[in-house]
Amino acid sequence: VHREDLITTMVSSPMRLLQRQRSQRQAMPVLVLVMTVGAAVTWSGHAWAAVSRRQAATAAVATVAAVTAQGSSASAEDGKSNKYPVVGDEKIMSAKQHGTSPQPVQEALRWNVDRSTADRICSFNRDFAEYAGYFRTTDFIADLKKLQAQEAGAQSPVTFYDSVTGKPLFVAPVGRTMKDFLKESLVHGWPSFRDQEVVWENVRCLRNGECVSVDGTHLGHDIPDGTGNRYCINLVSVAGQPSAQTKALAQA
């Protein structure tokens, strides 16, 4: 079996399962979501997933919506999460002065991420992502461990800023330990955030699951799992320095 065929089968399997369940008129459908990033194509010398996260996110959103429409019951905890994600209009990603962004990414990004990669993903991309595990090649994990050591093991959350505008987008960990946050991110291959870790004032999700900033920065995708929404985010998109306005608000 060719690798590409296997990937296509795995990504599309949730919808096939749902169709089979509908035909059998089962009362409680079983949802199995598999997100696989495998075979790569080349874009300006960088590896990108042949099956994009947007495809996987679209399959996930469609499947979850279909299951919900069948009338599957939700627990009280599920009811709380129904207000997230905050949905935005496609107009957010309309053409601007620099792709979908008002300007290029910042000159000095955090964690030694590659600026040219950041600029492409943030402003000239809707489908693809940095390769799985990219953040492990940066200073990201070392810096988080250093922060923990400086604060005697305290679980102080880290703020992640838009690589274009410097606005705060995510704060993590919240409601879990730094170890849990890193563990989940390592398992999935990208920094992975939960509803309570999103700065919703500055973040939106489009109907197809694409996660973006309110200023048009492509961030990643919402790939829900068994515990709720999981925002699978490119580190290069959230490696910005806080803007002057953000610093002023923090000092006020």
Side-chain angles (χ1 to χ4, degrees):
V1 178
H2 292 294
R3 190 178 185 187
E4 290 81 358
D5 294 336
L6 178 60
I7 292 171
T8 301
T9 300
M10 294 177 75
V11 172
S12 62
S13 61
M15 290 308 297
R16 292 182 179 178
L17 176 61
L18 184 59
Q19 291 170 354
R20 184 162 61 252
Q21 289 167 341
R22 281 177 173 173
S23 66
Q24 295 173 349
R25 297 179 181 276
Q26 294 180 349
M28 293 297 292
V30 178
L31 174 62
V32 178
L33 172 63
V34 178
M35 187 224 170
T36 303
V37 177
V41 296
T42 299
W43 181 17
S44 300
H46 294 272
W48 307 85
V51 176
S52 72
R53 272 205 317 230
R54 185 170 185 168
Q55 290 175 293
T58 300
V61 170
T63 305
V64 171
V67 170
T68 301
Q70 281 198 333
S72 58
S73 60
S75 65
E77 187 63 30
D78 289 335
K80 288 182 182 179
S81 64
N82 284 342
K83 67 178 182 178
Y84 297 121
V86 176
V87 177
D89 192 279
E90 177 66 27
K91 292 179 181 179
I92 293 173
M93 300 302 285
S94 61
K96 303 178 183 68
Q97 289 88 341
H98 189 75
T100 60
S101 303
Q103 69 261 353
V105 297
Q106 298 174 355
E107 290 289 340
L109 296 174
R110 301 162 77 187
W111 302 305
N112 197 32
V113 303
D114 183 73
R115 186 174 182 271
S116 61
T117 299
D119 199 52
R120 284 195 299 275
I121 290 180
C122 290
S123 306
F124 298 93
N125 164 63
R126 302 292 302 279
D127 297 310
F128 296 100
E130 64 195 21
Y131 60 80
Y134 170 78
F135 69 90
R136 301 182 68 171
T137 69
T138 71
D139 297 335
F140 178 63
I141 294 178
D143 278 6
L144 293 190
K145 290 182 177 179
K146 182 179 179 181
L147 176 64
Q148 282 186 292
Q150 290 175 343
E151 301 191 6
Q155 300 298 327
S156 298
V158 175
T159 301
F160 296 78
Y161 299 94
D162 191 324
S163 292
V164 176
T165 66
K167 292 181 180 180
L169 302 177
F170 300 92
V171 179
V174 174
R176 54 178 171 170
T177 65
M178 181 66 77
K179 181 179 179 180
D180 290 336
F181 168 67
L182 286 175
K183 180 180 179 181
E184 181 173 43
S185 298
L186 287 167
V187 167
H188 294 294
W190 292 270
S192 297
F193 302 91
R194 297 294 175 169
D195 289 335
Q196 70 275 13
E197 295 170 327
V198 185
V199 182
W200 289 111
E201 177 184 351
N202 300 322
V203 176
R204 295 290 185 270
C205 277
L206 306 186
R207 296 291 181 184
N208 60 10
E210 183 182 5
C211 191
V212 302
S213 79
V214 294
D215 297 293
T217 305
H218 173 82
L219 305 177
H221 289 86
D222 176 20
I223 311 290
D225 61 12
T227 62
N229 294 313
R230 176 173 61 84
Y231 306 98
C232 194
I233 303 300
N234 296 290
L235 183 65
V236 297
S237 299
V238 293
Q241 304 285 352
S243 65
Q245 182 180 8
T246 298
K247 290 180 180 179
L249 290 173
Q251 295 172 357

